[in-house]
Amino acid sequence: FPVTIIFTLTIPPSVNKVWLRGRHGSYMAPKYRKWLDQNAKNIEVDEPLVRDVNVKLVVLGGKGWRMNRDLDNIFKGVMDLLVKNNAIKDDCCKVVRSVYCKYEAPFKLTTTAKVVVHIEGYTDETEN
């Protein structure tokens, strides 16, 4: 598909805080469940993409983002949200061929941090 699909999300909880352990096993943290539910409204697609996509995440820093946070801790939440809300069929390698993430400093520290998600057709950037 030639068009890039773009979604803007709030900052997801760290992957380290997605699952909690209880007496009867692991369960989804309420904060994570709330984030999934709140951001579902930001995902609008006609049908899920089923293969060969690149996913690019751009973290726009600001209020709600700590500079000592690991950038790679946002992948899981975003990918789960995309699958749960049918933007992509699955987050396995048959569908998602690459995931790229970068951080951009905010223009103002009072700006609320967010993640901008770009889903586009797969191109092998190593071939160039």
Side-chain angles (χ1 to χ4, degrees):
F1 59 96
V3 178
T4 299
I5 301 169
I6 301 174
F7 306 110
T8 301
L9 311 172
T10 60
I11 300 294
S14 169
V15 73
N16 298 325
K17 297 180 180 176
V18 167
W19 295 98
L20 302 174
R21 293 181 202 204
R23 265 191 283 193
H24 303 291
S26 297
Y27 61 96
M28 190 181 293
K31 184 176 181 178
Y32 183 55
R33 187 182 312 276
K34 181 178 177 182
W35 179 84
L36 289 169
D37 292 343
Q38 288 176 336
N39 282 275
K41 67 183 179 291
N42 298 327
I43 307 293
E44 293 182 24
V45 293
D46 294 328
E47 58 186 61
L49 303 170
V50 295
R51 62 179 294 116
D52 298 335
V53 298
N54 293 328
V55 178
K56 295 182 180 181
L57 309 177
V58 180
V59 175
L60 302 175
K63 202 163 93 176
W65 180 263
R66 293 181 330 278
M67 288 301 295
N68 65 345
R69 182 169 176 179
D70 294 347
L71 195 56
D72 62 339
N73 277 344
I74 69 163
F75 293 138
K76 179 69 175 152
V78 171
M79 300 307 285
D80 285 353
L81 183 71
L82 295 176
V83 172
K84 181 178 183 209
N85 292 283
N86 294 315
I88 57 177
K89 182 177 172 137
D90 197 344
D91 55 359
C92 69
C93 295
K94 288 181 182 179
V95 177
V96 179
R97 300 295 302 275
S98 72
V99 180
Y100 169 81
C101 188
K102 73 176 184 174
Y103 170 80
E104 291 184 4
F107 294 111
K108 297 179 185 177
L109 290 178
T110 57
T111 303
T112 301
K114 57 188 167 190
V115 179
V116 180
V117 181
H118 302 252
I119 305 174
E120 53 195 35
Y122 174 70
T123 55
D124 187 350
E125 296 176 5
T126 62
E127 290 180 357
N128 297 331

